[in-house]
Amino acid sequence: MSNEIFYKSASELEKLLDSGEITSVDLTKAVIERTKSIDGKLNAFISFDERKTLEEALASDERRKGGRKLSPLDGIPIGIKDVISENGQPLTCGSKILKGYVSPYDATVIERLRSAGSVLWGRTNMDEFAMGSSNENSFYGNVCNPWDITRVPGGSSGGSAAAVAAGEAILALGSDTGGSVRQPAAFCGVIGLKPSYGAVSRYGLVAFASSLDQIGQFGRSIEDVATLFQIVAGHDVKDSSSYPFEKKNYVNELKNYKAVKTIGIPKEFLGTGLDPEIRQAIESAINFYENSGHRVREVQLSMTEYALAAYYVIATAEASANLARFDGIRYGYRAENVKNAIDIYSKTRGEGFGMEVKRRIILGTFALSSENFDSYYLRAQKVRTLIRNDFMAAFDNVDALIAPVTPTTAFKIGDKTSDPLQMYLSDIYTLPVNLAGLCGVSVPCGFSKIGLPMGIQIIGKAFHEHEILALGYEFEQSHDFKDAHPKI
């Protein structure tokens, strides 16, 4: 176990800050130096502003001196995925089309972190417009997995996951449309929470697929993730999809939630295509919960075999509509040597968007066309309802579900770039959760024979984050996976 300050949990650092053993400036400088020393190998950050970040750390220290600590995360450096607006900072979404664009306002989650006194540290790398499962689609270069730099960190929030795993950030925000927090968390050996749809405001999150996107949280411990979620979650009138649910004290719930639970195991998630080592790790986790006194039973989610197809119709259709705003007229990149408005649109988008983004826009536009709308988009939405109904029926009999996060461990960079379908299958166990609007968390559950992290996925009912986090905490406290760090 490393004693480096940048590998300590936020809860440990809070105590050190409270006692005066360290300052936020000390901590932030350590994180900055860590990033500058290793990010040339990982490429987890697109940009960072040292001066601004150190000013925020100094302000935190001044508050503490005056006895005005704002939250448990006051003075803690947090990485921000470059798809979330932060006033005065670059907002590229990993795309050429937004190169040089600076956000004019704060997202709601950024406002809440500022109110909590957090130090906003850097803009983390990502698949372009959050479209990808490997972080190989960024205009700013692929991110490398800190456990093996020849492998992907997962996507689309690969920069956030890699940064937390490597000590380049204590915590980080990402976004999850079909697995983009949980999948990189599993590949990088950290915690990744995908909240229920409507639990965290999307105001200031650049939209990929509006009915699926949700801002998620990364950390090296369940307690840290629960603390971060506590701060950013909650109703927001600026987001019409935000839901006024009853927030819990999520950190207290971790330690006090001792009820015996009934845990469902979806047999469809343990079929062919699952790596034997991951299967063994999942079965070991199931045995742990059974031996801990929880009830375990098999459940059926028969419609999940249609989830991948439904997801890629709905998500691409919504992307086609959302990305129409990037036209070279209002902001961002504009092509040169154009003759008229149509020329501006076509050349700007052709030059500004990467191959995967263009592929998904074309797919989505096809699905939304008048002759195909009923056959594709409308049918996919009906399938989505059936998938949600499957989950609801399962939750009539169980409190939570346990499943794999990914079918394999992190694959080699370049292995799947020529085969989009194989790449899309990387999210086969995560995207049904987004279609149903549920919450899910990826928790480290071991390492493969060659030392690559693996994760279990705990899935809960909508707005029952306290239950899945408590189950994850129970597992985490009985294992030492969170204490392992990559050697970079």
Side-chain angles (χ1 to χ4, degrees):
M1 177 178 176
S2 174
N3 291 318
E4 299 286 2
I5 189 172
F6 47 74
Y7 272 142
K8 292 188 180 299
S9 69
S11 55
E12 290 176 300
L13 292 168
E14 180 192 8
K15 293 172 185 172
L16 294 174
L17 289 166
D18 287 347
S19 68
E21 291 182 57
I22 63 168
T23 65
S24 178
V25 169
D26 293 335
L27 171 60
T28 302
K29 282 182 176 178
V31 168
I32 290 172
E33 289 307 311
R34 173 66 168 174
T35 302
K36 290 166 74 172
S37 69
I38 67 168
D39 204 54
K41 296 179 181 178
L42 300 183
N43 198 31
F45 283 87
I46 291 175
S47 64
F48 46 77
D49 185 338
E50 286 184 58
R51 181 191 59 79
K52 185 268 309 183
T53 303
L54 286 169
E55 285 175 356
E56 291 174 355
L58 182 60
S60 174
D61 290 334
E62 293 300 319
R63 280 194 300 273
R64 265 196 169 78
K65 287 177 186 175
R68 292 190 303 112
K69 174 182 165 185
L70 297 178
S71 81
L73 297 184
D74 197 337
I76 303 292
I78 299 175
I80 310 297
K81 185 179 181 180
D82 203 15
V83 72
I84 299 170
S85 302
E86 180 186 344
N87 188 20
Q89 293 301 307
L91 179 65
T92 73
C93 300
S95 179
K96 177 181 178 180
I97 210 163
L98 280 175
K99 185 178 182 181
Y101 178 72
V102 175
S103 179
Y105 70 100
D106 279 338
T108 295
V109 291
I110 297 298
E111 289 178 351
R112 291 177 178 175
L113 288 176
R114 288 195 196 282
S115 297
S118 301
V119 175
L120 305 178
W121 166 232
R123 312 290 299 169
T124 60
N125 204 347
M126 56 180 283
D127 281 304
E128 185 181 7
F129 284 101
M131 298 182 192
S133 304
S134 65
N135 224 144
E136 294 173 281
N137 296 331
S138 173
F139 175 69
Y140 299 91
N142 60 277
V143 179
C144 299
N145 191 312
W147 293 91
D148 179 348
I149 61 172
T150 68
R151 295 178 184 269
V152 303
S156 62
S157 308
S160 290
V164 170
E168 295 184 55
I170 307 303
L171 295 158
L173 292 181
S175 64
D176 192 312
T177 306
S180 290
V181 166
R182 289 158 290 157
Q183 190 244 30
F187 278 3
C188 292
V190 296
I191 309 294
L193 173 66
K194 182 267 172 194
S196 309
Y197 186 77
V200 178
S201 173
R202 294 187 301 111
Y203 179 77
L205 172 71
V206 178
F208 161 15
S210 302
S211 73
L212 299 164
D213 298 339
Q214 194 64 186
I215 294 175
Q217 298 75 42
F218 290 97
R220 288 190 291 272
S221 76
I222 292 280
E223 183 175 351
D224 285 4
V225 167
T227 304
L228 181 54
F229 177 66
Q230 182 81 46
I231 288 170
V232 300
H235 184 240
D236 178 22
V237 295
K238 291 182 284 189
D239 175 11
S240 61
S241 66
S242 176
Y243 187 76
F245 69 104
E246 181 187 351
K247 282 178 67 173
K248 306 278 188 182
N249 186 319
Y250 296 99
V251 175
N252 285 351
E253 291 281 338
L254 295 181
K255 297 156 188 179
N256 299 329
Y257 207 80
K258 300 296 186 186
V260 172
K261 293 294 169 187
T262 301
I263 298 172
I265 313 300
K267 64 178 184 179
E268 292 82 0
F269 285 46
L270 295 173
T272 56
L274 180 62
D275 183 287
E277 286 187 277
I278 294 179
R279 182 192 301 277
Q280 186 177 359
I282 299 298
E283 289 172 350
S284 176
I286 292 168
N287 290 336
F288 163 80
Y289 283 110
E290 223 168 3
N291 294 335
S292 299
H294 298 288
R295 296 180 290 268
V296 174
R297 59 180 296 178
E298 189 177 86
V299 298
Q300 189 171 3
L301 299 173
S302 58
M303 295 305 296
T304 53
E305 66 175 297
Y306 306 110
L308 187 73
Y311 172 87
Y312 276 100
V313 171
I314 294 167
T316 58
E318 294 183 9
S320 171
N322 280 325
L323 270 62
R325 71 194 68 177
F326 302 102
D327 53 15
I329 302 294
R330 287 164 286 189
Y331 45 75
Y333 174 80
R334 179 184 293 185
E336 298 179 353
N337 303 317
V338 292
K339 300 174 184 176
N340 50 45
I342 298 300
D343 213 23
I344 290 176
Y345 295 156
S346 61
K347 285 190 176 179
T348 294
R349 291 161 67 81
E351 295 171 12
F353 286 138
M355 187 60 68
E356 182 60 30
V357 172
K358 286 187 275 193
R359 177 186 289 119
R360 297 195 191 196
I361 289 173
I362 291 168
L363 282 170
T365 304
F366 175 82
L368 288 177
S369 63
S370 57
E371 63 269 28
N372 294 316
F373 185 88
D374 287 355
S375 300
Y376 289 91
Y377 186 72
L378 185 60
R379 185 173 293 181
Q381 290 288 19
K382 290 178 178 178
V383 170
R384 179 183 193 168
T385 300
L386 295 174
I387 291 167
R388 179 174 172 78
N389 290 345
D390 259 2
F391 277 109
M392 294 306 99
F395 283 128
D396 284 340
N397 300 303
V398 301
D399 299 296
L401 303 171
I402 287 183
V405 184
T406 58
T408 67
T409 52
F411 45 89
K412 291 275 189 179
I413 293 169
D415 269 6
K416 299 187 180 183
T417 49
S418 62
D419 190 342
L421 180 57
Q422 285 302 310
M423 187 72 78
Y424 297 165
L425 285 168
S426 300
D427 296 329
I428 195 166
Y429 302 130
T430 52
L431 55 85
V433 176
N434 298 75
L435 288 169
L438 308 173
C439 57
V441 63
S442 174
V443 181
C445 67
F447 294 87
S448 70
K449 290 176 183 175
I450 60 171
L452 297 174
M454 300 181 289
I456 55 166
Q457 181 177 199
I458 307 173
I459 302 166
K461 305 170 192 174
F463 307 108
H464 281 242
E465 281 82 359
H466 59 291
E467 288 191 342
I468 63 170
L469 288 169
L471 284 168
Y473 183 77
E474 186 177 352
F475 182 83
E476 176 192 80
Q477 293 302 297
S478 299
H479 299 80
D480 60 0
F481 302 130
K482 70 180 175 61
D483 298 326
H485 305 299
K487 295 179 174 65
I488 306 165

